[in-house]
Amino acid sequence: LAEPSPAWPAMAFASDALAGRRIVGTIPTESGAVAMILAATDEQTGQLTRGALVAWNEHADPELARLDVDPLGESLRIVDCFGNERELSEEERSLGLALGDMPVFVEGIEPSLALFISGFSVEPRFVRSSVTEHEHAIFLTNPWPIRITGSLQIREAADPDGKARRSGWNITPAGVLDFAIGPRERQRIPFTFTFGRAQLSGPKRLEVLTRVSAQREHPLLRLRFTLDVGLEDLQLDLETSRSPGISGPDLVVIASITNSAARNRTLRVEAATRDLPTQQLQVSDLGTGQTVIRRFIFKDAGGPNSSGRMVVVSLSDLEEADRLNKVIQVP
């Protein structure tokens, strides 16, 4: 005889929740999180109805695995995989719905608005770490059968704690842009930006504040995206140690530099940390495919209180505007 199992009620609820619906798109999320748009199709009008999201976190950073669902409907309900319902909390409305490893359903969304978000993209996603003007573009797609209008503004995204960032990015245009898109059409909206020499490599989070009018004016959307800042032909790996023993007193920062460009490079390497002079070393004529090691020794900076100290290492090409900045924390 079959025995009761906790999976049974979850399977029964999923069967009911998915009945008559299909996956019509996905919502852009932090890498490692999943959000699928579900909807049924009205046989008479062809309009999408019974909109919902099903979302979960596979392997994204838990602090970043949040989904901004508040603008997608006026009466949203969060339903877990066992069918337990609740309303969206105030924290979830302001910071986004936190996703865990168990799927949750967001019932009551407007499927066409979710598809508008699904059609949002930014290209290219890679940014060369160079002190120059960078050209990128936003793409918007109109999923409605009518012409839509709206406006958008690009800015740096807030930290997970809600604080706005100020890292010296100059985005052009800085103000509000208007757009109008025909039915089922895709529109390209170019923008440029510059940043200073201190910009760290790695992910950079931006957001587009968007208002769209389609049959009615929808609430403000925050469409977040991540750009990857770096150099595809220059690699910098860092590690720290203590000298002459495991308790110091000196701190040693080891920089491993690999050149994969089709030319030899002459580089300057700088290491900086608080309360100590910046150190500089040079790498001359580093050939294609070659790797060199440079060590920085900070006297009396590796003692018992050095744990948590941040060291910024900068790698500059003396012939171009390329500059790669990385930070390492002393364990």
Side-chain angles (χ1 to χ4, degrees), residues 16-309:
D16 290 341
L18 297 174
R21 288 169 164 167
R22 59 187 175 89
I23 298 172
V24 296
T26 59
I27 294 286
T29 61
E30 192 69 25
S31 178
V34 178
M36 298 180 178
I37 307 167
L38 305 176
T41 303
D42 187 293
E43 294 182 359
Q44 295 182 345
T45 65
Q47 296 292 320
L48 296 178
T49 63
R50 296 181 56 220
L53 293 181
V54 58
W56 66 93
N57 182 13
E58 289 188 339
H59 51 78
D61 182 340
E63 291 187 0
L64 301 178
R66 288 182 174 270
L67 201 58
D68 187 11
V69 299
D70 186 42
L72 294 183
E74 296 179 355
S75 302
L76 300 181
R77 307 185 316 279
I78 309 301
V79 188
D80 66 21
C81 60
F82 297 104
N84 301 307
E85 293 190 16
R86 62 176 178 82
E87 294 183 356
L88 202 64
S89 70
E90 289 302 318
E91 178 182 353
E92 290 167 335
R93 290 183 184 280
S94 60
L95 298 180
L97 174 65
L99 302 179
D101 56 2
M102 294 293 289
V104 294
F105 287 79
V106 184
E107 293 283 355
I109 72 162
E110 296 186 37
S112 292
L113 185 59
L115 283 173
F116 174 76
I117 296 174
S118 174
F120 166 82
S121 65
V122 175
E123 298 176 13
R125 302 301 288 265
F126 182 80
V127 182
R128 188 169 182 85
S129 185
S130 180
V131 185
T132 187
E133 185 175 73
H134 302 271
E135 298 182 355
H136 292 248
I138 292 168
F139 291 87
L140 298 176
T141 301
N142 175 10
W144 285 275
I146 61 172
R147 183 178 179 84
I148 65 171
T149 58
S151 62
L152 61 83
Q153 183 177 23
I154 311 164
R155 69 179 191 180
E156 296 181 62
D159 288 318
D161 59 8
K163 295 181 180 179
R165 294 182 176 182
R166 293 290 183 270
S167 63
W169 279 48
N170 296 312
I171 301 172
T172 304
V176 176
L177 285 173
D178 295 326
F179 62 83
I181 312 175
R184 319 297 184 190
E185 290 183 356
R186 189 169 188 246
Q187 186 172 108
R188 180 181 185 271
I189 302 174
F191 70 99
T192 63
F193 56 82
T194 60
F195 46 73
R197 292 172 57 82
Q199 174 63 45
L200 293 176
S201 63
K204 173 66 179 180
R205 290 173 59 78
L206 300 176
E207 66 181 7
V208 180
L209 303 181
T210 308
R211 294 191 182 277
V212 59
S213 179
Q215 298 172 328
R216 67 179 184 86
E217 183 162 331
H218 293 277
L220 179 69
L221 299 173
R222 286 183 173 85
L223 306 177
R224 298 181 176 92
F225 62 96
T226 302
L227 299 177
D228 185 19
V229 180
L231 294 175
E232 62 269 63
D233 53 8
L234 194 60
Q235 182 176 338
L236 173 64
D237 297 306
L238 304 176
E239 59 180 286
T240 64
S241 64
R242 292 177 173 86
S243 179
I246 59 174
S247 58
D250 299 335
L251 172 65
V252 181
V253 177
I254 304 165
S256 175
I257 305 159
T258 301
N259 175 29
S260 56
R263 63 176 179 86
N264 292 4
R265 308 181 83 146
T266 298
L267 307 166
R268 180 173 60 244
V269 196
E270 300 177 342
T273 186
R274 69 179 188 277
D275 303 327
L276 293 172
T278 298
Q279 298 185 24
Q280 291 187 1
L281 296 172
Q282 188 157 316
V283 178
S284 299
D285 201 30
L286 182 62
T288 299
Q290 292 184 343
T291 299
V292 296
I293 303 293
R294 292 293 184 267
R295 290 177 172 84
F296 298 90
I297 300 176
F298 292 94
K299 293 292 185 181
D300 300 321
N305 296 326
S306 64
S307 181
R309 176 185 282 271

